[in-house]
Amino acid sequence: MYTIPKKLLSNGNTNAKTTKNELKTFILYLSPYNQNSKGINICVKASKGCAASCLWSAGRGAFDSVKNSRINKTEYYLNDKKTFIDQLAKEIITKHKTAQKKGYKVAFRLNGTSDLDFIYLLKKYASLNVETLENAVFYDYTKILGKVKKYLTHKNYFLTFSRAEDNEKETLEALKLGANVSAVFKDNLPKKYKGFKVIDGDKSDDIMITAKNSILGLRAKGKAKNDFSGFVIN
């Protein structure tokens, strides 16, 4: 069972990294992997290392009320996708109208703890083409190389491919395509990785919007500090 939440999007200032963003940011948090009553994996390419190191329960996510809220939203999405996407579209449009009226740009990260194609879903179920939202930018991390290729030249949707212990080939292909790649490092960030410049991906969450063909270096946090799968680069 689930209840329809009053809002789907969370304010980015509740997240330690998105609060550093230059742009006012809103995030959609779901419960990752198959943590739902249907057992449907909404992070289809998640590796074992990624699953073990997931930060979905870090920070405010450690509170049961927050976890339950994210699980409830996931149940809502899986059981009534059309209504869910309609509500999401309305929230995005409302945030965009406010940004447009006040003269600033607003950012949306719709896969805070999931890996779904919301750009496609918004267009299919709510007839919302996000490219028409001139004061909005969208960004996500993904482990789906096909999604990186699909949106490589998109007007206002920026994707960073997530390196894991089992996708080295895809990681190199993403870099060759000119995409950004995120990689988690054990301690200090190197200057280069696989011959590509490493920039500090912890400085802000929206750095991927302006970064070009770089490694977004992330420092191991939470459970990732004890990773031995290869997900975290030592």
Side-chain angles (χ1 to χ4, degrees):
M1 293 293 292
Y2 66 93
T3 58
I4 295 178
K6 289 183 179 179
K7 63 177 183 177
L8 295 171
L9 295 170
S10 299
N11 196 311
N13 63 17
T14 61
N15 179 292
K17 196 162 74 163
T18 51
T19 194
K20 302 174 187 175
N21 286 3
E22 289 187 14
L23 301 175
K24 188 175 179 65
T25 306
F26 294 92
I27 313 176
L28 174 61
Y29 289 112
L30 301 179
S31 54
Y33 317 118
N34 57 1
Q35 297 181 50
N36 57 76
S37 64
K38 294 180 179 290
I40 295 173
N41 189 348
I42 62 172
C43 302
V44 292
K45 291 287 186 177
S47 66
K48 291 182 178 179
C50 177
S53 302
C54 185
L55 292 174
W56 90 285
S57 60
R60 293 180 69 252
F63 296 104
D64 286 341
S65 59
V66 176
K67 286 182 184 176
N68 291 336
S69 172
R70 294 174 182 181
I71 291 170
N72 182 66
K73 287 176 186 176
T74 308
E75 297 293 340
Y76 176 24
Y77 167 77
L78 293 173
N79 285 279
D80 193 353
K81 190 179 294 182
K82 175 70 168 66
T83 306
F84 180 99
I85 297 297
D86 276 337
Q87 181 177 342
L88 179 61
K90 288 174 183 175
E91 289 186 29
I92 290 170
I93 290 168
T94 297
K95 304 295 185 190
H96 177 257
K97 282 182 177 178
T98 300
Q100 207 168 30
K101 184 178 179 181
K102 295 186 177 181
Y104 62 82
K105 278 204 168 187
V106 64
F108 298 93
R109 182 178 168 189
L110 301 181
N111 283 295
T113 40
S114 56
D115 199 352
L116 300 166
D117 192 347
F118 280 110
I119 304 303
Y120 164 76
L121 293 169
L122 285 164
K123 197 168 185 177
K124 178 179 179 180
Y125 292 104
S127 300
L128 175 60
N129 178 0
V130 301
E131 288 185 292
T132 65
L133 305 179
E134 296 182 357
N135 284 59
V137 291
F138 297 77
Y139 71 94
D140 278 320
Y141 292 94
T142 183
K143 283 190 172 63
I144 304 171
L145 183 61
K147 197 157 68 166
V148 172
K149 292 178 179 178
K150 180 179 179 180
Y151 293 110
L152 196 60
T153 59
H154 195 276
K155 180 181 175 182
N156 59 342
Y157 185 41
F158 302 89
L159 277 168
T160 291
F161 186 76
S162 294
R163 180 251 172 221
E165 77 276 11
D166 63 351
N167 64 4
E168 193 71 13
K169 182 181 176 182
E170 290 88 348
T171 293
L172 293 173
E173 188 173 348
L175 287 166
K176 288 176 183 177
L177 288 169
N180 290 320
V181 165
S182 66
V184 183
F185 294 90
K186 185 76 172 178
D187 296 304
N188 296 326
L189 302 181
K191 291 184 178 180
K192 286 191 174 183
Y193 180 71
K194 299 294 182 181
F196 289 83
K197 181 182 178 182
V198 175
I199 61 176
D200 191 346
D202 285 325
K203 279 190 174 179
S204 72
D205 203 41
D206 60 357
I207 196 169
M208 70 172 71
I209 295 171
T210 53
K212 303 296 180 187
N213 200 202
S214 301
I215 303 289
L216 303 188
L218 307 172
R219 296 168 185 82
K221 305 170 190 69
K223 297 174 184 176
K225 291 180 179 180
N226 300 313
D227 173 81
F228 294 100
S229 70
F231 173 73
V232 175
I233 301 166
N234 193 341

